[in-house]
Structures are given as structure tokens and as C-alpha cells.
Amino acid sequence: MLLLVAAVWGSSYAVAKTATQQLPVLEFLALRFGLTFIVLLPALKPLLGVQARKGLVVAGILGANLLAIFVCETFGVSLTAASNAAFLISLCVAITPLAEWWLLGERPQARMFWAAGVSAVGAAMLSLTSPADMSLGWGDGLMLLAACLRACMVCLTRRLAGRHALPALTLTAVQAGVIAIGALLLALGQSKGSLAPLPTASGFWWAMAWLVLACTVFAFFAQNHAAARSSPSRVSLLMGSEPVFGALVAVHWLGEDIRPLGWIGGLLIVAAALWVTLPSRGARPALTVPSPS
């Protein structure tokens, strides 16, 4: 299921890049997650239970973190190549063990530091191949920030998993609502109260349907379901193969050109990501958390 999420998320960079050319980034995010919230309205029924308050607090914290991630990702992919964005976001795999050490008190193995170094070299090689007309630096920097926030997100989901009794789909619905409201408020502040008209092109709405149903509803449910039942580093396996799918979609659909140095840098990032997720000798099995009722 996580590998399928990787393929779906890999396609999202090219789809989002196309959609944000027709609608401003913050309004795009408000629409995407507003539609997601509407689709998931039936999943809100568990909020009527006694654990609703704790669940809402947890979902609010995670939703705010996700809002920051998607603002960075969506602005980032609009300022750099979709293939670059897909590769750079996978740096979160190397960053996650460091976030585990900081947030969960679990000291990473020595190879994690080597993997982080390899990933950093790969990111530098990849970024240096960005065309000048794509605002070299800003888009790549935002994607790196999004990678750090993703690593924190996985750890926070793990840390807060036992503090609520909400099913993964309900948690996803509340997070979508938080992101939609936050993005709308930011959009209204940026535009001084006037929003851009919605696009009428059918291609935009097909892209939105894919982003809502596949890249958000299914992918968030799968991530929330897995993050509460396995270690953050193991969950980050999906980040390890995501850029491969993202680069292939960007090259074949958007016609982007990845130079040899960029391919080498991207492969270094993927190799470091896969190296991080390999089990070590004598490692204990991943901790599992019972499914919430």
C-alpha cells in the first residue's frame, strides 16, 4: 500500500504544477482540501464520541503542520522543475532518523549520518541543473524545507498516535478541514479579500479530481494508517521510491529535461533513502500500535 502511495504522490508534482498555472497556489490548496473535506464528511461521525476533544487537538496540530508542508511544496513546485521537486522531497527519508532522535529520543545509527551526507550531495548536484528561468534556489529551498517538515510530520504522527481514538480516515478528514481553512485565510490575506475566479478548463478539474481522490484521500489515509503502526524510518520507505515515479512522469508528460548531473544527484538521493530503510543486523521488529476502535 505504501509503494502504491509512492507512485500516486510521484505523479502529484506534475499534476499540481499544471493546476497551479491556472489558479494561485493558496486558492488551489483551499479548493483541493476543501473538496477533500466534503468528500470525507461521512468519516466525521466518530467525532461525536467522548474522545473527540483529544482527537481534534491532535488533528489540529498535524493539520497545521500539513498546511505548512503543502504551502512549501506547492509554491516550491511552481518555482522549480517537477522532477527536481520529486527528488528533493525524498531528502525527508535521510532527515527522518535525525527528527526521531530530536522528537522521540531514539538515537540514529551511524549510517544515518552517512546517508544524510550522500543525500545532501545529491540535492546539491540536482539543484545546480535547474534552468535559469525556473528561479534557481527559491523553489529548491522550499522543497528542502518541506522535506524537513515531512520528517517532523511522520514523527509527530507516531508520537501522538496514542493520544486519540480516531480512525485514520477521520483524522484525514479533520486535517483536510484545517488545511482548507488555513489556506483560505492566507489567500484572503494575500489578495486583500478578492479571490481569483475558478478555472473552467476540463483539464484543471480532472487534475483536481486526481489530487483530491488519489493523492489526498487515499494517500493520507494510507500514511496515517501506517505511521501509527510502524517506525517513522520504515514509513519513510514510500518517500524513497516516490521521486523515481515523479521524475518519470515529469519527463514523459511535461517533457522536462533532466541533465546527466541531475540524474546522478537524484539517484544518490534515492540510494541514500533506500539505504536508510534497510534493516540492520539484530534490529528489533517495528513497534505496532493497536488499531483504534
Side-chain angles (χ1 to χ4, degrees):
M1 185 168 64
L2 292 179
L3 290 175
L4 181 57
V5 170
V8 169
W9 270 354
S11 70
S12 69
Y13 299 100
V15 177
K17 188 173 183 67
T18 302
T20 52
Q21 293 172 353
Q22 304 178 59
L23 192 68
V25 168
L26 292 173
E27 295 174 38
F28 161 80
L29 287 174
L31 178 62
R32 172 181 173 180
F33 288 97
L35 292 174
T36 302
F37 180 75
I38 293 173
V39 170
L40 293 178
L41 279 176
L44 295 178
K45 185 177 179 181
L47 291 179
L48 300 176
V50 294
Q51 295 293 327
R53 182 176 298 179
K54 291 182 179 179
L56 285 172
V57 171
V58 170
I61 294 172
L62 297 180
N65 193 9
L66 275 173
L67 174 61
I69 292 172
F70 275 95
V71 168
C72 291
E73 282 189 4
T74 312
F75 272 111
V77 78
S78 69
L79 295 173
T80 189
S83 52
N84 274 27
F87 277 121
L88 289 172
I89 199 65
S90 68
L91 283 169
C92 72
V93 180
I95 299 171
T96 298
L98 302 178
E100 282 188 79
W101 191 8
W102 174 43
L103 294 173
L104 304 181
E106 300 176 7
R107 191 178 188 279
Q109 300 172 354
R111 65 171 176 168
M112 302 301 181
F113 295 101
W114 286 103
V118 171
S119 293
V121 172
M125 295 172 65
L126 182 65
S127 298
L128 289 174
T129 67
S130 300
D133 61 353
M134 290 196 178
S135 303
L136 175 63
W138 283 106
D140 296 336
L142 286 171
M143 295 309 300
L144 289 173
L145 178 57
C148 293
L149 291 172
R150 272 200 187 191
C152 293
M153 179 69 188
V154 176
C155 294
L156 283 174
T157 303
R158 172 70 170 173
R159 184 172 185 175
L160 300 175
R163 300 186 184 180
H164 67 87
L166 296 181
L169 203 57
T170 304
L171 185 63
T172 301
V174 178
Q175 288 172 333
V178 171
I179 297 172
I181 293 172
L184 180 60
L185 293 176
L186 291 174
L188 289 172
Q190 185 183 54
S191 62
K192 298 181 180 180
S194 59
L195 300 178
L198 294 177
T200 57
S202 60
F204 173 85
W205 291 105
W206 279 114
M208 187 60 66
W210 175 256
L211 290 170
V212 168
L213 298 177
C215 302
T216 307
V217 174
F218 166 71
F220 275 33
F221 164 75
Q223 186 188 37
N224 285 331
H225 181 82
R229 292 161 175 79
S230 185
S231 70
S233 295
R234 188 176 298 274
V235 172
S236 290
L237 174 61
L238 70 92
M239 309 300 180
S241 55
E242 179 184 341
V244 178
F245 296 106
L248 292 175
V249 172
V251 168
H252 292 289
W253 185 22
L254 299 182
E256 292 185 357
D257 180 29
I258 303 179
R259 301 171 192 176
L261 184 63
W263 277 114
I264 295 173
L267 290 175
L268 284 176
I269 295 174
V270 175
L274 295 177
W275 184 23
V276 165
T277 58
L278 290 176
S280 59
R281 294 181 180 179
R284 295 179 180 179
L287 177 66
T288 58
V289 177
S291 174
S293 55

